Amino acid sequence: MATLLLLVFVALSSLTGAKNPVVHPTTPSLGVSSRLQHSWAQYSPFFAPNPYTPPAKHCKITQVNIIERHGARFPTASAGAQIEASLAKLQAVPKYTDPSLNFLKNFTYDLGHDDLVPFGAAQSFDAGQLVFVRYEKLVQNALPFVRASSSQRVVDSANNWTAGVAFASNQKSQPFLSVILNEALNDTLDDNMCPNAGSSTAQTNTWQVIYAAPAVARLNAAAPGANLTVTDITNLISLCPFETVAKEKPSAFCSLFTQEEFDGFEYFGDLGKYYGTGYGQELGPVQGVGYINELLARLTGRPVVDHTQTNSTLDADPSTFPLNRTVYADFSHDNQMIAIYAAMGLFQPSTPLDPAHPDSKRSWLASQLVPFSATMVTERLDCGGKGREFVRVLVDDALQDLAFCGAGDDGMCSLDAFVQSQGYARNDGNGDFERCFA
Ligand SMILES: *[C@@H]1O[C@H](CO)[C@@H](O)[C@H](O)[C@H]1NC(C)=O
Ligand SMILES: *[C@@H]1O[C@H](CO)[C@@H](O)[C@H](O)[C@H]1NC(C)=O
Ligand SMILES: *[C@@H]1O[C@H](CO)[C@@H](O)[C@H](O)[C@H]1NC(C)=O
Ligand SMILES: *[C@@H]1O[C@H](CO)[C@@H](O)[C@H](O)[C@H]1NC(C)=O
Ligand SMILES: *[C@@H]1O[C@H](CO)[C@@H](O)[C@H](O)[C@H]1NC(C)=O
Ligand SMILES: *[C@@H]1O[C@H](CO)[C@@H](O)[C@H](O)[C@H]1NC(C)=O
């Protein structure tokens, strides 16, 4: 009888969606170990390095600012072409000396390019569900305001996210994508506006020669005449994540490489991000300034002050940059999120990443900073009492230490201290933005 009553109750509450909504995950398991997935650098699917911790009881979250990377995608068109060229070298070999390569005789590369894969769309949908579950009251208080950079995969992620929020709320909250920022114009959600910024090629090349050497030797012995280079190894190893997220089952390329080689691939990605738009790139952090200034405007409820990547027409108009919402969600790219972390002061290593010697204790890990569907959340909290407004930042659910504004173990800075700490952004990047063009 008690069981029956419980069942009736569960059925009723799931019909009405009345109490404690939960996430109904739609992302399938990929069938590869988490150890392996976590060594795919920026091609790792989202995972939480630390579980989300709610704020102290006496604090109430009053505003949530989300910036999220699109979900898992196919290789970009240019990466796909390079992968195909490396595969062609391997597949041109008439006879392999190692049977583990025999699957290549009948292997066809058939991935699309640039767009989300269904797994990636599901990641964004689940992320939307999670936001409703975690911040239900705030979402119900006012519709989340949603923007996206204009790449199709980013727009698709935003729309799948809003569908996830609507689903979790039983269609009571139906947010929609309001602003698409053109990547050819002023766009705070893309790293498209700094032509003088350098690249990470020197550093990644240095490491590639080191990490890929054993695989070059092994595969060239197994495939005589293929003449694979270290670049081919990086192309081929990337097929493990790309095929796995596209087909939702382990790619044969995952077993062609050792865990140590995947760890090397992770570091290749870490260097790419660090020297691409992160602290290792002189003109990296400045590309995150526009977003930080928009974030400060939302946190303080004051108009945007910025002379970098913002579109002042959009940001001065309450219909395209409102200040009266409680949840803001922006959809973006990995390189741009790295620039934003660096502009804010997150994840700064005490010494620059050494291209030849990875520090095994480093926290600059692309798989944790910008996996597919990576999420940075800036929460504003009201904790009562004097100086009552505070800020916390979470990246992929993990609470950040915010040492740069004097936070303690609770990761909280007063709103004032946080705003003060963002001098680089408030000063338009101390002249760095001009250097993007001059
Ligand atoms: C090759 O692939 C095709 C299509 O996927 C399949 O039908 C065939 O059985 C495969 N042949 C071998 C030898 O694996
Ligand atoms: C925000 O302000 C606009 C007017 O600028 C108003 O139309 C809208 O209803 C307000 N939204 C909320 C959630 O208060
Ligand atoms: C979700 O993303 C897919 C692309 O993978 C897209 O085709 C679909 O339209 C998106 N869903 C919504 C609700 O926009
Ligand atoms: C700013 O946004 C407006 C409205 O979408 C658009 O017409 C204009 O081209 C944008 N300007 C720049 C420089 O991004
Ligand atoms: C590999 O290199 C050898 C010797 O330089 C050359 O004869 C052969 O054609 C090359 N094979 C391929 C697939 O390029
Ligand atoms: C776009 O950005 C440039 C560079 O900061 C700036 O000069 C221009 O005023 C911006 N345009 C708009 C519409 O905000």
Side-chain angles (χ1 to χ4, degrees):
M1 186 64 180
T3 315
L4 185 64
L5 277 176
L6 180 66
L7 281 175
V8 169
F9 173 76
V10 169
L12 276 177
S13 48
S14 71
L15 273 178
T16 60
K19 278 279 156 271
N20 300 331
V22 294
V23 174
H24 297 278
T26 61
T27 39
S29 160
L30 295 174
V32 296
S33 72
S34 41
R35 172 80 175 84
L36 181 58
Q37 287 186 49
H38 299 176
S39 54
W40 290 346
Q42 66 274 18
Y43 307 134
S44 297
F46 170 98
F47 66 99
N50 282 310
Y52 178 81
T53 44
K57 283 257 158 26
H58 68 286
C59 297
K60 203 175 71 186
I61 300 171
T62 57
Q63 186 186 84
V64 170
N65 297 276
I66 299 163
I67 181 162
E68 183 156 311
R69 187 187 180 199
H70 57 76
R73 58 159 168 81
F74 290 119
T76 59
S78 63
Q82 289 176 37
I83 289 169
E84 287 193 270
S86 300
L87 264 176
K89 288 168 81 172
L90 206 47
Q91 291 189 295
V93 171
K95 191 159 170 41
Y96 301 123
T97 63
D98 182 335
S100 70
L101 292 185
N102 282 346
F103 78 94
L104 286 164
K105 296 199 164 136
N106 198 24
F107 177 83
T108 308
Y109 179 81
D110 60 358
L111 300 184
H113 57 85
D114 296 295
D115 290 335
L116 285 187
V117 295
F119 178 86
Q123 285 185 294
S124 304
F125 184 85
D126 288 357
Q129 291 193 61
L130 182 62
V131 163
F132 183 78
V133 167
R134 189 170 289 166
Y135 302 113
E136 184 180 359
K137 288 212 182 75
L138 288 177
V139 173
Q140 283 172 340
N141 176 57
L143 269 188
F145 189 80
V146 184
R147 303 186 303 171
S149 201
S150 63
S151 295
Q152 192 60 48
R153 61 179 175 274
V154 180
V155 169
D156 284 342
S157 292
N159 285 325
N160 276 279
W161 184 91
T162 58
V165 173
F167 173 78
S169 75
N170 263 313
Q171 309 300 327
K172 285 202 201 83
S173 177
Q174 300 191 335
F176 51 89
L177 175 56
S178 290
V179 177
I180 297 176
L181 294 166
N182 187 330
E183 291 180 4
L185 299 173
N186 292 20
D187 179 0
T188 53
L189 304 177
D190 191 28
D191 61 325
N192 61 327
M193 285 184 69
C194 189
N196 286 350
S199 89
S200 56
T201 311
Q203 289 82 13
T204 52
N205 277 352
T206 298
W207 177 242
Q208 189 169 248
V209 169
I210 299 168
Y211 103 84
V216 166
R218 187 179 68 251
L219 288 182
N220 279 335
N227 299 346
L228 298 177
T229 65
V230 287
T231 308
D232 292 319
I233 298 303
T234 300
N235 294 336
L236 294 167
I237 204 170
S238 78
L239 269 172
C240 166
F242 282 133
E243 275 215 304
T244 302
V245 297
K247 312 232 154 139
E248 299 175 0
K249 58 177 205 259
S251 161
F253 288 88
C254 300
S255 17
L256 220 50
F257 299 95
T258 65
Q259 182 60 55
E260 202 182 346
E261 286 159 356
F262 279 104
D263 292 340
F265 178 69
E266 164 78 52
Y267 196 54
F268 180 87
D270 301 345
L271 288 168
K273 299 302 153 194
Y274 184 81
Y275 290 100
T277 48
Y279 294 102
Q281 171 56 243
E282 278 185 58
L283 298 180
V286 71
Q287 300 180 71
V289 160
Y291 174 82
I292 301 286
N293 284 330
E294 292 180 330
L295 174 65
L296 296 178
R298 288 166 170 172
L299 288 169
T300 59
R302 297 207 188 99
V304 176
V305 182
D306 178 76
H307 304 93
T308 67
Q309 291 181 195
T310 46
N311 180 324
S312 53
T313 310
L314 292 171
D315 281 10
D317 180 345
S319 68
T320 47
F321 199 86
L323 290 168
N324 61 358
R325 304 293 179 98
T326 44
V327 177
Y328 299 91
D330 288 323
F331 291 83
S332 180
H333 294 276
D334 53 350
N335 293 335
Q336 180 59 7
M337 287 178 66
I338 291 286
I340 288 166
Y341 299 155
M344 188 186 282
L346 297 176
F347 301 107
Q348 183 159 24
S350 50
T351 54
L353 266 61
D354 181 336
H357 302 283
D359 174 357
S360 61
K361 295 199 188 68
R362 71 193 179 278
S363 56
W364 185 275
L365 292 160
S367 55
Q368 298 188 15
L369 272 58
V370 286
F372 286 134
S373 199
T375 306
M376 178 177 88
V377 178
T378 307
E379 295 176 346
R380 192 184 67 195
L381 307 102
D382 183 335
C383 300
K386 219 175 124 207
R388 34 202 254 160
E389 294 213 289
F390 292 85
V391 167
R392 305 197 306 168
V393 176
L394 304 110
V395 174
D396 300 339
D397 286 357
L399 189 62
Q400 300 304 303
D401 66 16
L402 302 199
F404 56 76
C405 51
D409 288 345
D410 58 8
M412 297 210 301
C413 285
S414 72
L415 176 57
D416 285 347
F418 182 78
V419 171
Q420 286 307 315
S421 74
Q422 297 303 301
Y424 181 71
R426 287 163 53 234
N427 202 24
D428 289 323
N430 294 338
D432 287 347
F433 192 66
E434 288 69 23
R435 293 171 60 212
C436 285
F437 309 94

